[in-house]
Amino acid sequence: MTDFSRADIRAVVFDVGETLVDETRMWADHAARAGVTSLTFFAVLGVLIERGDDHSGIWTELGLHPPAGLTQTEPVDLYPDAFDCTETIRATDTIVGIAGNQPAGLARRLSSTWVPVDFIASSSEWGVKKPSKGFFARVIDAAAVPENQILYVGDRVDNDIAPANSMGIRTAFLMRGPWAHIQRHRPEAELADLKLDSLEQLRDIFIDAANQPDAECGDGGDVS
């Protein structure tokens, strides 16, 4: 964990799955369409995460072909704290963006929720995906501020925290979803500038800074 000051941040960029969006409904629907119980499906997903394998390999692991027309996340899946957090941060004259490994149509789906952001981008639109450095180079370009003034918020050590850190981007590790709970003990988790249990905590950091503009925010420790 490193020293963190809200005053250093001019842009906050959010991952999508298990950061802004609850993927439980999507994964459960995948299981139902494949004729697999949710318990079996989620157990196999956990094994893939622990091994560091791509989750798309779940169909091979189960000996199945992916069902046609897999469910995508929709506005109904937005986490309750997502809107308030993005709205509050943006109201502090901070650039707010969304960028993650997502299929085409992400901007359309999230725009319909009226989530207050300055830009929405996906790996399918950029033609490059996490954890590649090329993805985070595009994040820097989209935010249009120096990399050390960007805070990237995500739930995965392998796809979010470690690669963003390698590009000089500040990071917040959000402890929710299966990847976060399985990967939280990895040494690279300590690269995060912040560890959060919810987006409400991140919102409160920006609220406190707005109320005390001359004060430094955070002491580099957990905010939980």
Side-chain angles (χ1 to χ4, degrees):
M1 196 75 65
T2 61
D3 291 337
F4 177 80
S5 170
R6 152 67 187 105
D8 297 333
I9 302 302
R10 294 173 57 197
V12 179
V13 182
F14 295 86
D15 174 44
V16 182
E18 293 307 317
T19 298
L20 295 176
V21 170
D22 183 348
E23 295 182 319
T24 302
R25 182 189 63 84
M26 180 192 74
W27 286 112
D29 190 70
H30 287 1
R33 286 171 178 260
V36 178
T37 66
S38 294
L39 177 61
T40 298
F41 194 91
F42 284 117
V44 174
L45 178 63
V47 169
L48 293 175
I49 295 171
E50 179 62 35
R51 290 199 315 227
D53 293 344
D54 192 292
H55 61 266
S56 63
I58 194 167
W59 305 110
T60 301
E61 199 76 18
L62 290 168
L64 300 170
H65 293 292
L70 287 174
T71 300
Q72 301 298 331
T73 55
E74 297 294 343
V76 68
D77 301 312
L78 203 66
Y79 271 111
D81 58 4
F83 185 94
D84 190 34
C85 181
T86 55
E87 181 180 51
T88 298
I89 292 175
R90 195 161 182 253
T92 65
D93 292 326
T94 302
I95 297 164
V96 175
I98 298 174
N101 284 354
Q102 294 289 319
L106 172 69
R108 173 186 57 78
R109 294 196 302 275
L110 288 181
S111 293
S112 66
T113 68
W114 299 99
V115 176
V117 295
D118 296 288
F119 67 88
I120 301 175
S122 67
S123 55
S124 60
E125 294 163 351
W126 280 346
V128 62
K129 65 180 183 178
K130 297 183 292 184
S132 73
K133 290 189 175 183
F135 180 92
F136 289 98
R138 293 298 298 267
V139 168
I140 296 168
D141 288 344
V145 299
E147 59 271 20
N148 63 351
Q149 295 178 1
I150 301 170
L151 180 69
Y152 190 81
V153 185
D155 65 297
R156 291 181 59 167
V157 171
D158 58 345
N159 261 22
D160 302 325
I161 306 307
N165 177 272
S166 74
M167 294 290 288
I169 298 172
R170 313 299 294 272
T171 58
F173 183 25
L174 180 59
M175 286 296 305
R176 68 179 172 202
W179 276 270
H181 287 280
I182 292 173
Q183 297 181 347
R184 62 180 176 169
H185 298 301
R186 293 187 181 182
E188 298 93 333
E190 297 307 312
L191 294 172
D193 295 279
L194 291 173
K195 287 185 179 179
L196 306 166
D197 291 322
S198 71
L199 293 181
E200 290 179 354
Q201 292 178 316
L202 183 61
R203 176 204 64 190
D204 289 346
I205 289 174
F206 280 79
I207 290 175
D208 290 345
N211 291 335
Q212 299 177 347
D214 296 326
E216 289 290 316
C217 298
D219 58 4
D222 291 5
V223 298
S224 57

PDB file of all heavy atoms in Angstrom, residues 27-28 30-32 34-44 62:
ATOM      1  N   TRP A  27     -23.936 -14.567 -14.786  1.00  0.00           N
ATOM      2  CA  TRP A  27     -23.306 -15.876 -14.646  1.00  0.00           C
ATOM      3  C   TRP A  27     -24.333 -16.959 -14.345  1.00  0.00           C
ATOM      4  O   TRP A  27     -24.233 -18.082 -14.863  1.00  0.00           O
ATOM      5  CB  TRP A  27     -22.240 -15.845 -13.552  1.00  0.00           C
ATOM      6  CG  TRP A  27     -20.988 -15.124 -13.927  1.00  0.00           C
ATOM      7  CD1 TRP A  27     -20.518 -13.948 -13.417  1.00  0.00           C
ATOM      8  CD2 TRP A  27     -20.030 -15.523 -14.918  1.00  0.00           C
ATOM      9  NE1 TRP A  27     -19.338 -13.599 -14.014  1.00  0.00           N
ATOM     10  CE2 TRP A  27     -19.016 -14.538 -14.939  1.00  0.00           C
ATOM     11  CE3 TRP A  27     -19.935 -16.615 -15.779  1.00  0.00           C
ATOM     12  CZ2 TRP A  27     -17.915 -14.626 -15.790  1.00  0.00           C
ATOM     13  CZ3 TRP A  27     -18.840 -16.695 -16.633  1.00  0.00           C
ATOM     14  CH2 TRP A  27     -17.840 -15.707 -16.630  1.00  0.00           C
ATOM     15  N   ALA A  28     -25.326 -16.650 -13.528  1.00  0.00           N
ATOM     16  CA  ALA A  28     -26.361 -17.632 -13.218  1.00  0.00           C
ATOM     17  C   ALA A  28     -27.154 -18.003 -14.464  1.00  0.00           C
ATOM     18  O   ALA A  28     -27.537 -19.157 -14.670  1.00  0.00           O
ATOM     19  CB  ALA A  28     -27.296 -17.098 -12.135  1.00  0.00           C
ATOM     20  N   HIS A  30     -25.953 -17.877 -17.532  1.00  0.00           N
ATOM     21  CA  HIS A  30     -25.058 -18.728 -18.324  1.00  0.00           C
ATOM     22  C   HIS A  30     -25.198 -20.181 -17.885  1.00  0.00           C
ATOM     23  O   HIS A  30     -25.281 -21.088 -18.715  1.00  0.00           O
ATOM     24  CB  HIS A  30     -23.600 -18.288 -18.135  1.00  0.00           C
ATOM     25  CG  HIS A  30     -23.235 -17.014 -18.817  1.00  0.00           C
ATOM     26  ND1 HIS A  30     -24.120 -16.265 -19.545  1.00  0.00           N
ATOM     27  CD2 HIS A  30     -22.038 -16.358 -18.885  1.00  0.00           C
ATOM     28  CE1 HIS A  30     -23.494 -15.195 -20.039  1.00  0.00           C
ATOM     29  NE2 HIS A  30     -22.236 -15.230 -19.644  1.00  0.00           N
ATOM     30  N   ALA A  31     -25.201 -20.398 -16.567  1.00  0.00           N
ATOM     31  CA  ALA A  31     -25.307 -21.755 -16.043  1.00  0.00           C
ATOM     32  C   ALA A  31     -26.633 -22.392 -16.433  1.00  0.00           C
ATOM     33  O   ALA A  31     -26.678 -23.557 -16.868  1.00  0.00           O
ATOM     34  CB  ALA A  31     -25.163 -21.741 -14.517  1.00  0.00           C
ATOM     35  N   ALA A  32     -27.716 -21.643 -16.296  1.00  0.00           N
ATOM     36  CA  ALA A  32     -29.036 -22.175 -16.619  1.00  0.00           C
ATOM     37  C   ALA A  32     -29.137 -22.546 -18.096  1.00  0.00           C
ATOM     38  O   ALA A  32     -29.687 -23.593 -18.449  1.00  0.00           O
ATOM     39  CB  ALA A  32     -30.111 -21.153 -16.250  1.00  0.00           C
ATOM     40  N   ALA A  34     -26.786 -23.453 -20.008  1.00  0.00           N
ATOM     41  CA  ALA A  34     -25.933 -24.604 -20.282  1.00  0.00           C
ATOM     42  C   ALA A  34     -26.452 -25.874 -19.626  1.00  0.00           C
ATOM     43  O   ALA A  34     -25.909 -26.963 -19.859  1.00  0.00           O
ATOM     44  CB  ALA A  34     -24.510 -24.316 -19.792  1.00  0.00           C
ATOM     45  N   GLY A  35     -27.484 -25.753 -18.788  1.00  0.00           N
ATOM     46  CA  GLY A  35     -28.027 -26.913 -18.100  1.00  0.00           C
ATOM     47  C   GLY A  35     -27.161 -27.386 -16.948  1.00  0.00           C
ATOM     48  O   GLY A  35     -27.151 -28.569 -16.606  1.00  0.00           O
ATOM     49  N   VAL A  36     -26.431 -26.440 -16.347  1.00  0.00           N
ATOM     50  CA  VAL A  36     -25.545 -26.751 -15.223  1.00  0.00           C
ATOM     51  C   VAL A  36     -26.080 -26.033 -13.988  1.00  0.00           C
ATOM     52  O   VAL A  36     -26.553 -24.894 -14.082  1.00  0.00           O
ATOM     53  CB  VAL A  36     -24.100 -26.278 -15.523  1.00  0.00           C
ATOM     54  CG1 VAL A  36     -23.180 -26.555 -14.345  1.00  0.00           C
ATOM     55  CG2 VAL A  36     -23.578 -26.936 -16.788  1.00  0.00           C
ATOM     56  N   THR A  37     -26.002 -26.652 -12.831  1.00  0.00           N
ATOM     57  CA  THR A  37     -26.462 -25.978 -11.620  1.00  0.00           C
ATOM     58  C   THR A  37     -25.552 -24.787 -11.328  1.00  0.00           C
ATOM     59  O   THR A  37     -24.355 -24.796 -11.661  1.00  0.00           O
ATOM     60  CB  THR A  37     -26.445 -26.914 -10.405  1.00  0.00           C
ATOM     61  OG1 THR A  37     -25.102 -27.279 -10.097  1.00  0.00           O
ATOM     62  CG2 THR A  37     -27.273 -28.168 -10.673  1.00  0.00           C
ATOM     63  N   SER A  38     -26.124 -23.784 -10.688  1.00  0.00           N
ATOM     64  CA  SER A  38     -25.329 -22.602 -10.346  1.00  0.00           C
ATOM     65  C   SER A  38     -24.160 -22.972  -9.447  1.00  0.00           C
ATOM     66  O   SER A  38     -23.056 -22.429  -9.585  1.00  0.00           O
ATOM     67  CB  SER A  38     -26.217 -21.557  -9.661  1.00  0.00           C
ATOM     68  OG  SER A  38     -27.182 -21.045 -10.540  1.00  0.00           O
ATOM     69  N   LEU A  39     -24.383 -23.915  -8.520  1.00  0.00           N
ATOM     70  CA  LEU A  39     -23.322 -24.320  -7.602  1.00  0.00           C
ATOM     71  C   LEU A  39     -22.132 -24.877  -8.372  1.00  0.00           C
ATOM     72  O   LEU A  39     -20.982 -24.486  -8.130  1.00  0.00           O
ATOM     73  CB  LEU A  39     -23.853 -25.364  -6.620  1.00  0.00           C
ATOM     74  CG  LEU A  39     -22.822 -25.927  -5.629  1.00  0.00           C
ATOM     75  CD1 LEU A  39     -22.258 -24.828  -4.750  1.00  0.00           C
ATOM     76  CD2 LEU A  39     -23.453 -27.033  -4.787  1.00  0.00           C
ATOM     77  N   THR A  40     -22.397 -25.768  -9.319  1.00  0.00           N
ATOM     78  CA  THR A  40     -21.323 -26.359 -10.111  1.00  0.00           C
ATOM     79  C   THR A  40     -20.617 -25.302 -10.944  1.00  0.00           C
ATOM     80  O   THR A  40     -19.379 -25.233 -10.997  1.00  0.00           O
ATOM     81  CB  THR A  40     -21.878 -27.454 -11.036  1.00  0.00           C
ATOM     82  OG1 THR A  40     -22.455 -28.489 -10.237  1.00  0.00           O
ATOM     83  CG2 THR A  40     -20.787 -28.041 -11.914  1.00  0.00           C
ATOM     84  N   PHE A  41     -21.403 -24.451 -11.580  1.00  0.00           N
ATOM     85  CA  PHE A  41     -20.838 -23.431 -12.455  1.00  0.00           C
ATOM     86  C   PHE A  41     -19.923 -22.483 -11.687  1.00  0.00           C
ATOM     87  O   PHE A  41     -18.790 -22.208 -12.099  1.00  0.00           O
ATOM     88  CB  PHE A  41     -21.978 -22.647 -13.109  1.00  0.00           C
ATOM     89  CG  PHE A  41     -21.550 -21.809 -14.276  1.00  0.00           C
ATOM     90  CD1 PHE A  41     -21.573 -22.313 -15.564  1.00  0.00           C
ATOM     91  CD2 PHE A  41     -21.128 -20.495 -14.089  1.00  0.00           C
ATOM     92  CE1 PHE A  41     -21.182 -21.534 -16.654  1.00  0.00           C
ATOM     93  CE2 PHE A  41     -20.739 -19.714 -15.166  1.00  0.00           C
ATOM     94  CZ  PHE A  41     -20.768 -20.231 -16.448  1.00  0.00           C
ATOM     95  N   PHE A  42     -20.391 -21.997 -10.541  1.00  0.00           N
ATOM     96  CA  PHE A  42     -19.588 -21.050  -9.767  1.00  0.00           C
ATOM     97  C   PHE A  42     -18.363 -21.713  -9.145  1.00  0.00           C
ATOM     98  O   PHE A  42     -17.322 -21.068  -8.991  1.00  0.00           O
ATOM     99  CB  PHE A  42     -20.450 -20.379  -8.701  1.00  0.00           C
ATOM    100  CG  PHE A  42     -21.365 -19.321  -9.252  1.00  0.00           C
ATOM    101  CD1 PHE A  42     -22.738 -19.440  -9.165  1.00  0.00           C
ATOM    102  CD2 PHE A  42     -20.853 -18.191  -9.869  1.00  0.00           C
ATOM    103  CE1 PHE A  42     -23.583 -18.467  -9.683  1.00  0.00           C
ATOM    104  CE2 PHE A  42     -21.675 -17.213 -10.389  1.00  0.00           C
ATOM    105  CZ  PHE A  42     -23.050 -17.347 -10.300  1.00  0.00           C
ATOM    106  N   ALA A  43     -18.480 -22.991  -8.798  1.00  0.00           N
ATOM    107  CA  ALA A  43     -17.323 -23.698  -8.253  1.00  0.00           C
ATOM    108  C   ALA A  43     -16.221 -23.821  -9.301  1.00  0.00           C
ATOM    109  O   ALA A  43     -15.035 -23.591  -9.014  1.00  0.00           O
ATOM    110  CB  ALA A  43     -17.743 -25.087  -7.762  1.00  0.00           C
ATOM    111  N   VAL A  44     -16.613 -24.168 -10.522  1.00  0.00           N
ATOM    112  CA  VAL A  44     -15.627 -24.289 -11.601  1.00  0.00           C
ATOM    113  C   VAL A  44     -15.031 -22.919 -11.930  1.00  0.00           C
ATOM    114  O   VAL A  44     -13.825 -22.791 -12.172  1.00  0.00           O
ATOM    115  CB  VAL A  44     -16.270 -24.921 -12.852  1.00  0.00           C
ATOM    116  CG1 VAL A  44     -15.296 -24.913 -14.024  1.00  0.00           C
ATOM    117  CG2 VAL A  44     -16.712 -26.353 -12.545  1.00  0.00           C
ATOM    118  N   LEU A  62     -16.049 -27.584 -18.403  1.00  0.00           N
ATOM    119  CA  LEU A  62     -17.304 -28.308 -18.169  1.00  0.00           C
ATOM    120  C   LEU A  62     -17.622 -29.293 -19.296  1.00  0.00           C
ATOM    121  O   LEU A  62     -18.598 -30.044 -19.205  1.00  0.00           O
ATOM    122  CB  LEU A  62     -18.458 -27.308 -18.035  1.00  0.00           C
ATOM    123  CG  LEU A  62     -18.475 -26.453 -16.775  1.00  0.00           C
ATOM    124  CD1 LEU A  62     -19.485 -25.321 -16.913  1.00  0.00           C
ATOM    125  CD2 LEU A  62     -18.791 -27.302 -15.546  1.00  0.00           C
TER     126      LEU A  62
END
